[in-house]
Amino acid sequence: MTALQPEPLTDELLQQLLDSATPEAYLAQANLPSRSLADYAHQLLEERGISRADVIRASGINATFAYQVFKGERNIGRDHAIMLAFGLRCSLVETQRLLRLAGVSELWCKVRRDAIIIFCLQHGMTRAECDDELYRLGEPTLLTSEG
Amino acid sequence: MDNQRLLQALELDDSYRVVRVLAAHPSGTTELVSDANRGLHIRKRIPHELSNRQAWEALGKVRDQRVPRVELIYELPDALVVVCQYVVGTTVAELLSRQAHLEAYEAAGIALGVCRAASALHAQGIVHRDIAPGNVVIAPNILGDSPSNRTYLIDLGVARVRSDDVAAHDTTTLGTRGFSAPEQYGFAQTDARSDVYSIGRLLLCLLLGRMSDEVSLDIAVLSDDAVPAQLRPIIERACAFEPSARYQSAADMAADLEEAEIALGGTYVSQGGGGYRVAMPALGAEDVARRSKAPSSVGEADAGLWSRLGYAQAWATAGLIRQSLGVASWVVALCLGLTFVSVAFDSSKFTRPTDPAYFLAAGLIGLACSLIAGNELCLFFLRGGRYRDVPNRKKLLARVLLIDAAAMVLLMMLAAMILGVVDGLIKNFTAG
């Protein structure tokens, strides 16, 4: 786990990049935070004071798979990343950050299914409650029968 | 591994907080972790292909104070995790690197402690295979224990369960160069006698104050003045090339070492629970000469050893304070108790509860009791290892004083209550 430094705001970084003459000039001064999905997940665990077992139970992700994700040994798909966000009790902003770190597309309110998920996250619902909503509104659920 | 078991393991895994990573190798990670109660433990993660759950479980059955307890074993998908007791102290390697010179009886005592630890392991069919200065920890002297009782044999990372298949050779060479027995380099199956060899090397290093790989073991070294005559044959026999020429068990070696330790003047007599060091009378001219520079009293001996152990001094200081306070508080309590009894029977002194004498008596008795209780509490906590994470002397003493103060307040209140009741009874009695 990396120590938390005050992180430069994304907007400021973008402005710096646009103002730079070369990419190297930006890279040299920007001091980009190197943070992985696993680091971020551990940071959230620590902040919330919850254990990985709690997260796995709440998210419905397969335990062995989640263990490897927490160790940073495995990449995670979009739906699994969303489930992980539910397990970690993420806010919308945290969820979007988690999805970016997972290298998948963020939740987008113009997409019907994403909109439902955003609503559920925003209203503090659990992963199971979110799946109920998705099912009710005729969208594929996060937890599939294959797990 | 099924989900349920993994969830349980993860729950255990996350119930500890990592304080510091002590070592991280491909062969495993060792961490200092703290539990929910801030107690410290050592946690090892060993990749499954290198781990030997059977050995760790056998280790869990070892009940010897000199071997860290195995507290918990659980499995994660990629590793076996073992949580052990954390032993506070200084490793012999640290002592040697600080060029600390140990008295012969201390060296013998430490080797004796390692022998006893090793024989407890051997009794469970475990061979340590890496008895080396880095794996022998000397705990600070708080309760006046002898070096042999404060010696711990740690790091059972490469321990193996003795195989019945005699033909099987160890496939991997493990252990520490200079301390591992010849057969550990692949000549033959390792057994208890490999550990005996390592203990012999360890003892030699302790006496010479140097690491073993600088010391080639030959007659010249053994005739060094630093190696007393009593210990020379023991080292020679323990370090024989042929396992059959060595001591056949660590217990045999322990018996000889014990004799040597006594002859070197380092015998400890246990007194009650505490155990105080009692210096034996010198044995012969050689010992008299040695003793002229050797410690002459309990305090000196301990101070001498612990000044070399640096940080551990705080513990010794705390222990010394506790011990003297313990004695003082008993004396004070006895005097006050007698005074109180004599006063109590003269009931006229206690006609009014506002009588200053009443408060004075309650206060003094409370004070005395709290000294006793504070002492016992501190000893209990120090023994129980709650103070293992205290980084320096000031903090340690501050905590000791805090316990004292808390005990004092509580017991003063208790004493006042008891006196109130006794006073009431006396008044009733005299009125009736």
Side-chain angles (χ1 to χ4, degrees):
Chain A
M1 255 159 283
T2 48
L4 292 181
Q5 299 136 349
E7 230 172 85
L9 290 173
T10 308
D11 287 344
E12 289 173 12
L13 283 176
L14 183 61
Q15 198 54 50
Q16 275 182 35
L17 176 58
L18 295 176
D19 293 344
S20 302
T22 61
E24 289 90 336
Y26 166 73
L27 292 175
Q29 65 170 21
N31 184 23
L32 298 175
S34 62
R35 188 166 58 175
S36 70
L37 174 68
D39 288 339
Y40 188 53
H42 277 287
Q43 180 199 326
L44 290 173
L45 279 182
E46 196 126 318
E47 283 173 14
R48 311 270 195 278
I50 51 179
S51 80
R52 283 171 291 176
D54 298 333
V55 174
I56 293 167
R57 283 199 196 96
S59 66
I61 306 174
N62 172 283
T64 312
F65 177 72
Y67 174 78
Q68 287 163 337
V69 171
F70 273 111
K71 277 202 84 180
E73 285 173 353
R74 203 149 165 174
N75 291 325
I76 191 167
R78 187 162 188 264
D79 272 9
H80 275 128
I82 296 170
M83 287 161 84
L84 185 66
F86 273 106
L88 284 163
R89 301 176 205 162
C90 288
S91 67
L92 178 59
V93 176
E94 287 165 338
T95 306
Q96 303 287 41
R97 193 175 294 158
L98 196 96
L99 292 176
R100 279 199 296 275
L101 288 168
V104 296
S105 61
E106 293 177 33
L107 291 169
W108 194 17
C109 55
K110 285 185 179 173
V111 176
R112 191 169 187 270
R113 183 168 180 255
D114 284 6
I116 300 167
I117 295 170
I118 291 174
F119 181 88
C120 293
L121 279 168
Q122 202 59 28
H123 286 77
M125 292 186 189
T126 63
R127 199 270 313 151
E129 285 166 343
C130 178
D131 269 351
D132 289 346
E133 283 296 291
L134 287 171
Y135 183 77
R136 188 172 67 81
L137 295 165
E139 293 289 341
T141 54
L142 292 167
L143 183 70
T144 54
S145 49
E146 306 97 71
Chain B
M1 182 182 297
D2 59 291
N3 255 16
Q4 210 44 48
R5 268 183 59 204
L6 177 52
L7 282 176
Q8 280 171 1
L10 281 177
E11 201 113 24
L12 288 174
D13 206 48
D14 283 350
S15 66
Y16 294 97
R17 204 173 55 78
V18 177
V19 177
R20 194 148 37 97
V21 177
L22 302 176
H25 305 296
S27 59
T29 314
T30 306
E31 301 160 321
L32 178 64
V33 296
S34 71
D35 61 23
N37 301 321
R38 303 268 215 83
L40 292 176
H41 311 266
I42 292 293
R43 181 166 71 181
K44 286 174 179 292
R45 292 169 189 280
I46 309 141
H48 278 310
E49 58 272 20
L50 292 173
S51 72
N52 184 348
R53 185 168 182 141
Q54 202 193 352
W56 286 103
E57 269 164 5
L59 200 58
K61 293 193 202 106
V62 175
R63 290 276 167 271
D64 190 282
Q65 55 165 28
R66 298 178 192 87
V67 179
R69 272 190 315 282
V70 173
E71 291 160 345
L72 191 60
I73 304 174
Y74 57 91
E75 275 175 45
L76 291 175
D78 53 351
L80 180 75
V81 187
V82 183
V83 180
C84 307
Q85 181 194 0
Y86 172 57
V87 179
V88 171
T90 315
T91 65
V92 167
E94 281 162 359
L95 283 184
L96 291 176
S97 71
R98 253 180 263 161
Q99 304 284 310
H101 167 72
L102 291 171
E103 295 298 334
Y105 77 87
E106 288 166 350
I110 291 167
L112 175 61
V114 177
C115 270
R116 295 219 170 111
S119 62
L121 291 178
H122 298 162
Q124 294 293 334
I126 304 165
V127 185
H128 187 288
R129 297 203 300 170
D130 192 14
I131 297 179
N135 292 336
V136 177
V137 169
I138 320 294
N141 187 4
I142 296 164
L143 304 169
D145 277 340
S146 65
S148 69
N149 285 336
R150 286 184 281 113
T151 300
Y152 290 85
L153 185 53
I154 62 161
D155 197 2
L156 294 126
V158 297
R160 62 173 283 154
V161 173
R162 205 157 38 217
S163 164
D164 291 331
D165 180 7
V166 185
H169 285 193
D170 297 6
T171 45
T172 47
T173 56
L174 296 160
T176 304
R177 201 162 191 91
F179 291 90
S180 300
E183 63 269 24
Q184 275 177 275
Y185 297 102
F187 294 121
Q189 158 106 349
T190 54
D191 61 14
R193 295 170 299 183
S194 315
D195 283 351
V196 166
Y197 179 93
S198 304
I199 299 171
R201 302 292 308 214
L202 180 79
L203 177 55
L204 185 63
C205 285
L206 285 168
L207 291 168
L208 298 175
R210 275 178 287 165
M211 289 296 282
S212 176
D213 42 5
E214 306 167 19
V215 181
S216 64
L217 184 77
D218 53 30
I219 313 296
V221 168
L222 279 175
S223 59
D224 191 303
D225 281 346
V227 182
Q230 293 95 330
L231 295 176
R232 225 164 278 162
I234 298 180
I235 295 174
E236 268 170 341
R237 193 167 161 201
C239 295
F241 184 88
E242 261 310 308
S244 56
R246 295 179 204 152
Y247 290 101
Q248 294 303 296
S249 74
D252 290 349
M253 187 174 174
D256 276 8
L257 274 172
E258 199 165 11
E259 246 169 62
E261 195 202 13
I262 293 170
L264 291 164
T267 296
Y268 295 78
V269 177
S270 184
Q271 270 187 357
Y276 294 87
R277 178 163 188 271
V278 178
M280 289 288 282
L283 309 162
E286 194 189 7
D287 288 300
V288 173
R290 203 190 64 80
R291 275 190 167 276
S292 61
K293 54 176 179 156
S296 58
S297 69
V298 178
E300 234 182 273
D302 293 347
L305 182 58
W306 291 112
S307 65
R308 278 174 250 139
L309 297 185
Y311 134 87
Q313 261 183 331
W315 293 81
T317 314
L320 213 64
I321 291 174
R322 308 277 9 124
Q323 283 185 359
S324 34
L325 271 186
V327 176
S329 57
W330 279 110
V331 173
V332 172
L334 196 66
C335 295
L336 284 175
L338 288 174
T339 317
F340 174 65
V341 169
S342 62
V343 170
F345 281 100
D346 185 3
S347 59
S348 62
K349 293 252 165 73
F350 283 103
T351 45
R352 282 170 299 127
T354 48
D355 197 327
Y358 171 88
F359 283 113
L360 191 67
L364 287 176
I365 289 175
L367 181 70
C369 293
S370 66
L371 283 175
I372 297 167
N375 183 51
E376 296 309 317
L377 266 178
C378 283
L379 283 182
F380 171 77
F381 279 120
L382 289 171
R383 269 204 190 106
R386 285 276 163 217
Y387 283 81
R388 289 175 299 196
D389 54 343
V390 180
N392 61 40
R393 180 197 300 229
K394 266 188 199 155
K395 279 196 183 163
L396 181 68
L397 291 183
R399 286 206 194 172
V400 168
L401 288 177
L402 189 71
I403 292 183
D404 268 348
M408 197 176 290
V409 170
L410 277 175
L411 283 157
M412 274 188 169
M413 286 162 67
L414 193 67
M417 268 172 57
I418 293 170
L419 275 183
V421 173
V422 170
D423 189 32
L425 284 178
I426 291 170
K427 266 190 286 183
N428 266 350
F429 185 67
T430 48

